[in-house]
Amino acid sequence: MKSLLSTLRPAIGTTVLLTVLLGGVYPMVTTGILQLGFKAQAQGSLIRDSDGKVIGSRLIGQNFDQPQYLWGRLSATGTAPYNGGASSGSNLGANNPALMDAVKGRIEALQKADPLNARPIPVDLVTASGSGLDPEISPAAADYQVGRIAQARGIGAAVVKSAIAKSTRQRDLGVLGEPRVNVLEVNLRLDGKLK
Amino acid sequence: MGAVFRNSILRLNPLYQARNPVMFLVFVGSIITTGIFGVMLVRPDAIIGGGQPLWFVGLITFWLWFTLLFANFAEAIAEGKGKAQADSLKKSRRDVSAKKLNKVTDRTKHLSVPANSLRKGDIIVVEAGDFVPADGQVLEGIASVDESAVTGESAPVIRESGGDRDAVTGGTRVLSDWIVVRVTSDPGESFLDRMISLVESAKRQKTPNEIALSILLAALTIIFLLVCATLLPYSLFSVERAGAGSVITITVLIALLVCLIPTTIGGLLSAIGISGMQRLIKANVIATSGRAVEAAGDVNVLLLDKTGTITFGNRQAVEFFPAPGITQQQLAEASELSSLADETPEGRSIVVLARKLFGLPERDVKDLKADFIPFSAEQRVSGIIINERHILKGAGDAIARIVAQKGGSVPAEVTVQIEDIARQGGTPLTVAENSQVLGVVYLKDIVKPDIKARLADLRKMGIKSIMITGDNPLTAAAIASEAGVDDFLAQATPETKLKYIRQMQEGGELVAMVGDGTNDAPALAQSDVAVAMNSGTQAAKEAGNMVDLDSDPTKLIEVVEIGKQLLMTRGSLTTFSIANDLAKYFAIIPAAFATTYPVLGALNVMGLKSPQSAILAAVIFNALVIIALIPLALKGVKYRAEPAAKMLSRNMFVYGLGGIIAPFIGIKLIDMALAAVGLA
Amino acid sequence: MSQFITGNGWLQLALYMAVLLACVVPLGGYMARVFQGEKTFMSPVLGWLEKLTYTICGVDPDKDDMSWKDYAIATMVFSAIAFIVLYFILVFQNLLPFNPQKLPGLTPDLSFNTAASFVTNTNWQAYGGETTMSYFSQMVGLTVQNFISPAVGLAVLVALIRGLSRKESTGIGNFWVDMVRANIYVLLPLALIVAILLGSQGVVQTFDAYVTAHTLQGIDQTIAVGPAASQVAIKQLGTNGGGFFNVNSAHPLENPTPLANFIEVLSILLIPAALCYTFGVMVKDKRQGWSILAAMTIIFVPLLIFCVAMEQGGNPNFAALHIDQMASHLQPGGNMEGKETRFGITNSALWASATTAASNGSVNSMHDSYTPLGGMVPLLLMKFGEIIYGGVGSGLYGMLVMVILTVFIAGLMVGRTPEYLGKKIQSFEIKMASIAMLVPGILVLIGTAIAVMTKDGQAGIYNPGAHGFSEVLYAVTSAGNNNGSAFAGLSANTPFYNSLLGICMLFSRFWIIIPTLALAGALAAKKTVPESAGTLPTHNVLFIATLVGVIVIVTVLTYVPTLALGPVVEHFNMIKG
């Protein structure tokens, strides 16, 4: 058997070399390529207003509970909903009474904001997302809210629907994932901050 | 049978049980439940009883003890059978006194010593009427020996020094004359001793595969022990969370443990091993170790001597092919004359054929006043000189040489004939008178009628058969193809045999061979499995790891089958044992948590009557299955010569799938029976 | 209960399996060339780096053949150094650069847990990602481990394969050579490609500090960013799974689009599946590799389908409420709690199955919120011992251990001393294989028992009822099988869980590696028995079925009681209403 010492040289040598290569060179090269090729994405797909101030990220949901805005998923992030600095799911089990409470609470809020809407509520609108930062809801969940938004804004349902349609993405490559509506984009459109 | 029962109970001894970790766990479990039962007898509401009814704890305890007894019973039956064999073997190992010599040269001065004081290398004399006191090699003399005590064969055999029959076995009896014998085994190490210890479990050494299997079974046992041990905290926690029901009882945990650990194979393992050895003895083969028997199952190359194994021992004359200008009768007469003094089977067959074909009269050798030329290794011919007629017979090249010296030559037609016969696997024997070649006698090797089928069986099992022969390659090839062997080693000498075996082994093959002569000893020693003929020399017997008492060269095939059967039985019962567990879970888990989680009743797919009857049924099934499988353990799983894939699919189907399904039916039936007698 | 899998769901699952299996031959063949020291198209690019490493380390790749003991010592020493380095990086991250958020050093117990977690390729996430880790810790600490811990797994696997293919040899290869080649020829190029693909989809890669946004509703929102793409790529490829962000690949900046998701979930099983082919090439009998891949797939696909179906079925507790759980072209439907809209049911359940089949442990949805039986699938897949594809290297060597046990039982049934690839399986091999098989079971059963019996253990439980038991069981199963995924409701960042799970991870990793290397050494020393009709074929349907049967039975028998007391009870409670 070899001595421990003769094992230490390659052990330390490879550790140092690989740390430099994989912990330094590799992330730097990746950063360089992405900052050059896909700068917007690499910086977090940020949306800025006309002054250049950050309004948010196209990929990070925001909390909407005012009736004139399209609402997103429930969020269970740390300290406040849609806290982009502390992502988290609800982690409530399917049989947990707390889950039922949260769902019922959301149903109540939805119904209170739109008492006349008797359609069944799409499930993604009453459940919390995994990240707590889900930027999107299903087209069905967006459609469910059209009446309320139109009423709150005093505009026609068609305008709301068109804003939604413009922010709707079909499945990637026609197969992958699910059709979805970017909530922040819709609300930016409704506020006239995005064409 | 009484002894068997007594033995089963006597084995409930902790020291004895500790040898088998699976059954030892059952033993400990039984003691604990007995304790619980005892406490409950005094105080039915004791906490340790966990609120289970007394009758339930009692019955579980009862059946746990029976699980143990059944396993002991299996072993005791197997040993009982083995004992009968061992006893008859032992009888032949009686204590006799031996006549020990100081010097080989003087057999008259001997010392009378007890047989068990003899050591390897001692020299003894055995005279008419004496029992041979130990295994040994005949150094001097010749004697007829009654070996029936060992072989069961009543006809006496000849044992003599120097030849291929110089081995004597302890326990046999010299009938006539005397022999001087060098003892070749220390007390307790003779073939008989080793064989006896193989069937007596107390001294039984575990075979390599058995050890490996025991390790696997121990690993499974550890897992199941943990499963059951941790179930208690899980149960405590679940009761707390559910806020309902009662914690699983120790009794149920032990019942579950005994049902899960591989008691079926654990209980039958030694019975399988013992009865495997017994099958070997029944086949009249003595093995020096269980390892050798297992190795026989692994063999993938079998070296078979042509003579005696593939063909009948002797070649026979079947036809005369005269040279041009010679009649068949002339050739026949000359051949007959030349063979008159030839006492070999070949020579006799020539005489018989010549007389039969041409009605030659019987004549007495002595009347002819002829000189005989015996066979010599240098000349390689034999013959007769009668009235200036030099009639010689022998191998083609030898005759050609002699004829050439006398100015003659071999006609081309004869040469063609010689090659032709050789190609057909025959032995051509050229006959010449003075300088004239008369023709060729066709001696034919007769292949045994059943050998082809047996070799085909071997091939199906994946075993290559190699024919070993001293014949030339041409002859060997013909016989090889007639008998259906896979390959042959022609013109074999002890050295080429040894080289051939080594070569095979370097390629990873496991080689088995049969041998009898002293010159076989190196090859036997090199082989992985070596069966020596009992009729063979002591050197061969020592080099081999098995001795065939019947001296039947095809016995090796049976040994291979016994080896395979042994492993198959273990493997199949292991699979069966583990597959059984699934149903037991379905019986016990819903029952064990009936109070905490009544919803788990949905898992009670067998529709068992009550939690108690469900657990009891599983425990009873587990015990009864041991009894039910004893015959299989003793007889072994049926062996058929077929490829491994086919064998696996059948055994998987029977013992794997069957092992999953059978307990569902069995447990349900037992549960119905329990319900019928009101125990539900 | 409403419905089964949608048409598009079937399509996505089929597409995934098709692409995965299509990658097996090219990648597997490439890796075989790499580990056999042959030239590849990467040699001209990185060959100099490999040679430089050997020169600096004093290793001669052609001569320094190690015995299994030397190989094991090298593995342990290397891992120990990695453990120590990572531990101190984490403890002292406040003193180190690239820490724009001024995050403090980690507590000793969290550092221990995380170091154990990453060195063992478990990547259990007791830490919180964006709230805990500086960029330096992410890159120099975690990313480096994300490379070298799977490289160690690959090295051990290659050693075992050599054990099976060499004849009467004392050596099983050189650890340093195998490990370095794994890093620079296999993991690094793949990671770079995946990182750039992910970056194009929106995974962040920046050294800037977190961004503050002023939202439409008028509050400030912190948006955590960082060098994520480079770390996420290798976390997926190396079956690591430790996320850049707390919610791992559910986070939109870690996994922004369904296409990114496809690349990430493909990366999970990519190398483990391809290694089967590598194995076939290296033992010079590709059928052997295919049969193992087939066995893995036969176990994986039904469980995957079951998981998708269970989640698509939705939560029956919602039936009384005015909620639409039916899938349509406008919504994914099903049990959407803890799942992202862009992934829906199919991609969430696919990920959950793949990440636990492999010892990856990354998540794109919250397993804790799965339906009981849907959540049982990842639990069960981990309980198989991370051999259904499994971890990079570790999956296949774990699988080969099961193959050896299967060969032993099946081999006995055909009446021969069992042999695999011509190597006789005898008591030493069974002893080592048994240890490797026993270790995860022992850790899981005892670890769970300790956790549910202690106050500290019970304190971490989040959900009520039997699901609380499942949470603990899931955590210990995850650590005891080096997976790293979680029922994340469990508060595991406590001294108790950090220690318990850290110990489980270390034992599970190294008490399988050492017997595996011993196995490799013992097998290498053996002769190879030539194949004949009496040899148990290990490449036909019957053997595959037997192997699947043994794996399933052994796992089920070990874990039936725990599964019954957790997910099964929950399920019956749920449908009872």
Side-chain angles (χ1 to χ4, degrees), chain B residues 208-209 211-213 215-216 219-220 222-224 226-227 230-231 233-238 240-241 297-300 459-462 505 507-510 564 567-568 571-572 575 578 581-582 585 589 593 597 599-600 602-603 643-645 647-649 651-652 660, chain C residues 405 408-410 412-418 424 426-427 430-431 434 437-438 441-442 444-446 448-449 452-453 458 461 463-466 468-469 527-530 532-537 540 542 546 553 556-558 560-562 564-565 568-569 572-573 576:
Chain B
N209 279 309
I211 293 170
L213 180 59
I215 292 170
L216 183 67
L220 288 170
I222 292 172
I223 277 282
F224 290 129
L226 270 174
V227 166
T230 53
L231 205 48
Y234 299 164
S235 173
L236 277 165
F237 179 73
S238 297
E240 196 184 307
R241 306 268 309 170
D298 294 350
V299 158
N300 37 21
R459 199 166 307 111
K460 272 192 230 150
M461 293 150 57
Q505 286 172 330
E509 313 269 12
L510 252 99
K564 281 186 180 294
L567 296 191
M568 280 166 61
S572 300
T575 307
I578 298 168
D581 282 0
L582 212 58
Y585 263 134
I589 290 290
F593 293 97
Y597 290 128
V599 286
L600 283 178
L603 294 182
M647 208 146 34
L648 177 65
S649 78
N651 286 338
M652 252 320 171
I660 291 177
Chain C
L405 291 175
F408 181 71
I409 295 175
L412 286 182
M413 285 212 284
V414 302
R416 278 265 284 260
T417 296
K424 281 200 183 309
Q426 290 160 310
S427 56
I430 290 299
K431 206 180 280 173
S434 294
M437 176 192 76
L438 279 176
I442 292 173
V444 170
L445 291 171
I446 294 182
T448 307
V452 298
M453 276 297 93
Q458 292 180 355
I461 295 171
N463 279 288
F469 180 76
K527 285 180 185 170
T528 303
V529 183
S532 73
T535 313
L536 174 80
N540 59 6
L542 178 68
T546 309
I553 292 259
V556 164
L557 292 183
T558 310
V560 154
T562 55
L565 291 177
V568 175
V569 164
F572 288 122
N573 276 335
K576 183 185 75 177

Side-chain angles (χ1 to χ4, degrees), chain C residues 288-309:
Chain C
Q288 305 294 342
W290 287 121
S291 67
I292 287 180
L293 185 65
M296 292 172 169
T297 308
I298 288 169
I299 295 178
F300 178 67
V301 170
L303 285 170
L304 167 65
I305 291 172
F306 181 76
C307 184
V308 177

